Amino acid sequence: MKRIIKFIVLMSMIVMIGGCKSNNVDTKKNSDIESSSKINIDKISWNVKQGIADGERYALLDYKNNTAYTITHFELTFKEKDNLKSEDKEKFYDYIRDTLGVDEDDIKELKKKKISFKMESDRFVEKNKSIKNQRICYGIFYVKDASYVDLTEPDTATIEYINDNKIYTVYYGYQSKEYTEEESIEEAQYWTRGIFKDKLPKPKASVIKKDYLDDEDEFSFEAYELTLDDYYNYVEECKNMGYILDTNSYDGYYNAKNSEGYEIDIEYDEEDHKLSVSIYSPDTDDDESDLDTDEEDEDDSESDEIE
């Protein structure tokens, strides 16, 4: 059973690598993207190094934004080199075997896929500014040894940037040397216009992005470039609005309801300086409870039939 669970984890890791960042939106290709998106990959310089983060050694990536815009998200994927020697690949799989305790059957499955890595950062980087020590991943695992990144070459880049209070997304393929621009453009200062509009405070953040849902049951958003003190101040604002019932909190997390039954979840990400907030309508839990009750009734009915 343990081997099966471990194999499932590894296969999930492979899927994550292969999928990278997928968005079900319309895109358009433009070999001269400068005229529309204003972003040029040559103006983003980066390098991979061996370094220390949180007291441990990792493969880390630094990058500098030489564009004229603030970058809100930067993601790089790396794919296995075409001329990679078999002995170099074996060294990598020996490393995976020793580090993760993977058995031979799972190694065989991993060998069916190309070696690939990914780095993604939601840190804001203004023009002519740099960001350092962004960790590189092999699936869901951080890469400890930067030398293994040399087995790969850059494959795709994803850049999200702000222009005229809107967030644009551009992809670049290193092999094709083509840009792909999303036709979908986000508001840099999004806020719900629905029933939750006045049910929680709007953070004082330069960028607020809708996260997943904004309907009658739930509204969720992410606010960027906020400090831990900003998080605590936001929690206090929510408490002042009545979110003090059935509280559950710990470092960087707060959950509570108000007297109307609205529930909020607040979480702070110290690494990305990001505040993630969700609010749920009073009917959401009731609907789920009714569904659970119906399922229990069905289960009881099935049990009676079996008996």
Side-chain angles (χ1 to χ4, degrees), residues 63-200:
Y63 85 89
K64 184 177 181 180
N65 175 16
N66 298 307
T67 74
Y69 304 92
T70 296
I71 293 176
T72 63
H73 177 89
F74 183 55
E75 179 178 323
L76 276 177
T77 63
F78 300 82
K79 72 167 190 172
E80 181 181 310
K81 291 178 178 177
D82 292 336
N83 59 349
L84 190 61
K85 296 179 180 179
S86 58
E87 54 263 35
D88 291 331
K89 293 181 67 171
E90 287 304 319
K91 288 180 182 178
F92 173 72
Y93 291 119
D94 287 342
Y95 165 75
I96 294 297
R97 187 185 292 106
D98 296 339
T99 305
L100 304 179
V102 179
D103 62 27
E104 291 306 316
D105 289 339
D106 294 337
I107 289 292
K108 288 179 181 178
E109 292 298 324
L110 288 175
K111 287 181 177 180
K112 294 178 182 179
K113 301 289 182 179
K114 297 287 187 180
I115 298 171
S116 57
F117 303 106
K118 180 174 74 171
M119 183 289 306
E120 61 179 326
S121 173
D122 282 329
R123 291 294 307 277
F124 280 25
V125 184
E126 297 178 352
K127 62 180 181 180
N128 300 321
K129 298 293 185 180
S130 301
I131 190 166
K132 298 181 179 294
N133 302 336
Q134 302 302 290
R135 283 177 278 199
I136 296 173
C137 295
Y138 176 55
I140 61 175
F141 301 99
Y142 290 130
V143 180
K144 298 278 190 174
D145 191 337
S147 67
Y148 291 112
V149 182
D150 293 335
L151 305 179
T152 62
E153 59 189 359
D155 185 21
T156 61
T158 303
I159 309 114
E160 297 179 13
Y161 67 98
I162 300 175
N163 184 21
D164 292 332
N165 294 317
K166 296 188 181 300
I167 300 175
Y168 296 82
T169 302
V170 175
Y171 306 99
Y172 178 75
Y174 279 91
Q175 276 63 53
S176 65
K177 300 187 184 304
E178 285 188 324
Y179 294 86
T180 306
E181 182 182 20
E182 284 194 2
E183 292 185 351
S184 175
I185 300 171
E186 297 183 71
E187 297 177 35
Q189 274 279 337
Y190 182 88
W191 195 246
T192 179
R193 298 170 180 83
I195 63 172
F196 298 110
K197 183 176 182 294
D198 300 315
K199 295 298 182 182
L200 77 169

Side-chain angles (χ1 to χ4, degrees), residues 10-71:
L10 286 168
M11 292 308 293
S12 298
M13 177 177 70
I14 293 171
V15 171
M16 287 181 65
I17 295 173
C20 293
K21 183 174 182 178
S22 175
N23 296 282
N24 295 321
V25 296
D26 294 331
T27 59
K28 59 183 178 182
K29 288 185 177 180
N30 184 354
S31 58
D32 186 19
I33 203 74
E34 281 291 298
S35 62
S36 56
S37 72
K38 311 299 183 185
I39 285 291
N40 187 319
I41 193 66
D42 294 333
K43 293 182 180 180
I44 301 175
S45 56
W46 55 269
N47 68 283
V48 176
K49 67 181 183 181
Q50 186 74 50
I52 298 176
D54 295 331
E56 294 190 38
R57 293 176 64 81
Y58 291 104
L60 302 173
L61 186 143
D62 301 340
Y63 85 89
K64 184 177 181 180
N65 175 16
N66 298 307
T67 74
Y69 304 92
T70 296
I71 293 176

